[in-house]
Amino acid sequence: NAEVHGDDSNNVRMSVESVTLRHRMGNSPPVSAAAASKTTNLTQAPSTQYGGVTSQRAPLLMEDNAQYALSQEDERKSLLDSSHSQSYPSHDGKQRWVVQFPPKWDRALSQFDDIVIEKAQYFHRSHLGLRGKVGVCVELVNQLVTLWTTIEVGFVVPLFFYTVGHDALAGWFSALAFTTAIFTQIPKRFIYRKRPYLCMPPRALMCRNDRTSSFPSRAVVCAFVYTFAVVAAVLHVHTFSTILNITIMAASIFIAVLLTSYARVNFGVHFPSDCAAGVILGCVISLVGYGLHAAAVAACSSCLEATCYTDGQTASALTAESFSLGAANWPALVTGTCVSFLLTILCMVPPLEFWSKCTHFFGLLTPCIVFHLSFLCPTLSRTYASLAPPRLPYGTDWLVAITVVGVATGLGWFGRSRKKLWQRFAFFVVLYAVILAWLVSWRLLAFK
């Protein structure tokens, strides 16, 4: 009656064994011969108690999760061979300083978590089937919400806005995206909590194959921060009374967090308590990101008020006609590049191994930050030089920005999928250099 600790591949293996046994007894759909050969006899489905509430759904959940795993052979193999995944910090035996989520907290939260999970997965029970059109609509909404709240969205938004000349928005989103990525990865890296479907017995239906720590819900954090960023930007232009502004902000965040929390619990990849922790962390990140952006504006002047630009007619304006290598802010450019490279190396190599996405994250975001400090921060330049104010974007400029974001995202995904560290770092260097060179050349030559 104790929860199994150790390699989570055992959980999936035991689920497969359960389905194989039920098939031998005539109570389960047939399974593949390859899967059956990997199984052993299992006399009974294990049971457990969480907070005094017996999990009566365990046998069904084990069967459902095993069927899902067997139907997707590649994902099943990746779960059974999790030692090769850098996303499993507490089970690959390589990463250090990983703390298990306290079992006492898990038991104290289990009664609340299990009830909410059972209700949230009502339309997603495989032994009942999706309940008609309602279930299909729920699935579609959950997929869209999950796509919008990925951390990768925050990586590319600053690049998009710098390309179309909205430097104030780009700087605002850069501060929040950088803070979100770092603050959410700290608990993900150092605190491990099993996904609900990886518990033994499983506490949720396996609908997605997410193998990182369940605590906290990064999607909920992103929903909170992204909504805060967008609504704050809109209210800055179309402002109302203080009470109405607060009401709009609170209502928008509440709806976004509620939809995202339901989607993550419905997919079985988060406990409701993970989502609650994501709300708290999202509030903290929004405040820290706001303060970081305010400090950057105070140090570099405001692009929203056009004080970060110089007049195109003066000698200090960086334009295609007046630009020279000597006019560039080399101290900020070299320092920012060195810091970006150093942070990436520290996050990649042992013993820290902070994040498998660090090359993707730093490769897309840090060149935008260095670009702003080098070419849109006249107070850091010895000649008080910066770019001239950008023109209004044309329709083709938006298409160019979308294309650049798509290409940069593809390079980032391809680079982070490399197995060897030197290959991933090489792709980071290429991505960093390409994005920085693109922003400088585009703003000086084409977007002027």
Side-chain angles (χ1 to χ4, degrees):
N1 291 332
E3 182 178 0
V4 176
H5 294 282
D7 193 340
D8 283 327
S9 62
N10 294 331
N11 300 348
V12 177
R13 190 174 290 111
M14 293 179 70
S15 298
V16 175
E17 293 169 359
S18 175
V19 173
T20 304
L21 180 63
R22 293 171 67 89
H23 168 57
R24 293 172 180 172
M25 298 173 62
N27 297 327
S28 174
V31 298
S32 63
S37 64
K38 296 179 181 293
T39 63
T40 59
N41 292 329
L42 190 67
T43 59
Q44 63 180 16
S47 61
T48 189
Q49 284 189 336
Y50 295 95
V53 179
T54 303
S55 178
Q56 300 177 353
R57 301 186 302 137
L60 287 175
L61 289 173
M62 291 179 65
E63 178 179 340
D64 294 337
N65 292 351
Q67 290 181 27
Y68 179 90
L70 290 172
S71 67
Q72 301 190 14
E73 191 69 16
D74 291 338
E75 294 184 0
R76 184 181 66 84
K77 288 181 179 179
S78 66
L79 279 173
L80 295 178
D81 193 22
S82 60
S83 61
H84 297 293
S85 173
Q86 297 186 12
S87 301
Y88 251 143
S90 62
H91 296 276
D92 58 13
K94 297 179 182 179
Q95 289 184 309
R96 302 169 58 186
W97 310 308
V98 176
V99 178
Q100 295 288 336
F101 189 81
K104 291 183 179 180
W105 295 7
D106 203 2
R107 287 192 294 269
L109 297 169
S110 63
Q111 188 168 6
F112 164 73
D113 285 338
D114 292 343
I115 292 175
V116 175
I117 290 175
E118 185 173 3
K119 299 299 182 182
Q121 290 197 321
Y122 177 78
F123 292 107
H124 226 317
R125 302 247 40 86
S126 63
H127 62 277
L128 296 178
L130 291 177
R131 295 178 180 272
K133 296 181 180 180
V134 176
V136 175
C137 293
V138 170
E139 174 75 8
L140 178 60
V141 172
N142 290 346
Q143 294 286 359
L144 293 176
V145 170
T146 300
L147 179 64
W148 172 69
T149 55
T150 57
I151 189 64
E152 287 80 5
V153 171
F155 297 170
V156 299
V157 169
L159 175 62
F160 177 85
F161 281 123
Y162 277 125
T163 302
V164 296
H166 288 286
D167 300 323
L169 284 176
W172 167 240
F173 280 101
S174 294
L176 288 172
F178 186 86
T179 309
T180 302
I182 297 298
F183 275 54
T184 56
Q185 185 56 24
I186 290 176
K188 287 280 190 181
R189 168 61 179 84
F190 299 106
I191 302 175
Y192 184 77
R193 187 185 191 185
K194 292 181 181 179
R195 298 283 181 175
Y197 63 84
L198 286 176
C199 295
M200 192 56 72
R203 299 167 65 183
L205 175 67
M206 179 182 177
C207 303
R208 295 177 69 88
N209 183 13
D210 291 343
R211 296 171 291 158
T212 55
S213 175
S214 176
F215 179 85
S217 173
R218 199 199 313 263
V220 173
V221 176
C222 291
F224 191 110
V225 176
Y226 295 169
T227 305
F228 169 76
V230 172
V231 175
V234 173
L235 291 180
H236 189 85
V237 178
H238 305 285
T239 186
F240 305 98
S241 64
T242 302
I243 296 178
L244 186 56
N245 287 344
I246 295 176
T247 303
I248 294 174
M249 176 67 75
S252 301
I253 292 177
F254 176 79
I255 294 173
V257 166
L258 184 64
L259 289 175
T260 307
S261 298
Y262 176 80
R264 303 306 287 171
V265 175
N266 177 265
F267 283 145
V269 295
H270 281 299
F271 296 100
S273 52
D274 298 330
C275 300
V279 173
I280 297 173
L281 187 57
C283 182
V284 173
I285 289 173
S286 298
L287 295 176
V288 174
Y290 179 84
L292 184 63
H293 177 259
V297 170
C300 292
S301 301
S302 173
C303 290
L304 185 62
E305 299 175 358
T307 56
C308 70
Y309 308 110
T310 54
D311 188 353
Q313 306 301 321
T314 62
S316 59
L318 298 180
T319 62
E321 293 77 14
S322 63
F323 180 78
S324 64
L325 292 178
N329 188 355
W330 284 104
L333 186 61
V334 173
T335 302
T337 301
C338 291
V339 171
S340 301
F341 282 29
L342 180 61
L343 287 176
T344 304
I345 293 173
L346 290 177
C347 291
M348 289 176 56
V349 301
L352 183 58
E353 293 180 301
F354 184 67
W355 199 6
S356 61
K357 298 180 182 180
C358 63
T359 54
H360 190 181
F361 161 57
F362 286 115
L364 287 172
L365 196 56
T366 55
C368 296
I369 297 175
V370 172
F371 168 77
H372 192 108
L373 295 176
S374 303
F375 296 92
L376 291 172
C377 190
T379 56
L380 294 182
S381 174
R382 55 184 176 82
T383 60
Y384 208 77
S386 66
L387 290 173
R391 60 169 171 79
L392 293 176
Y394 303 143
T396 54
D397 296 328
W398 298 96
L399 296 178
V400 169
I402 295 174
T403 303
V404 169
V405 165
V407 173
T409 301
L411 289 175
W413 276 98
F414 185 76
R416 89 186 207 192
S417 65
R418 302 299 90 191
K419 298 298 182 181
K420 297 182 179 179
L421 290 179
W422 72 266
Q423 292 177 335
R424 292 163 57 195
F425 183 74
F427 270 96
F428 157 75
V429 173
V430 171
L431 183 61
Y432 180 93
V434 167
I435 291 180
L436 187 58
W438 159 257
L439 290 175
V440 175
S441 60
W442 172 254
R443 293 293 294 270
L444 287 175
L445 300 176
F447 200 87
K448 59 179 182 178

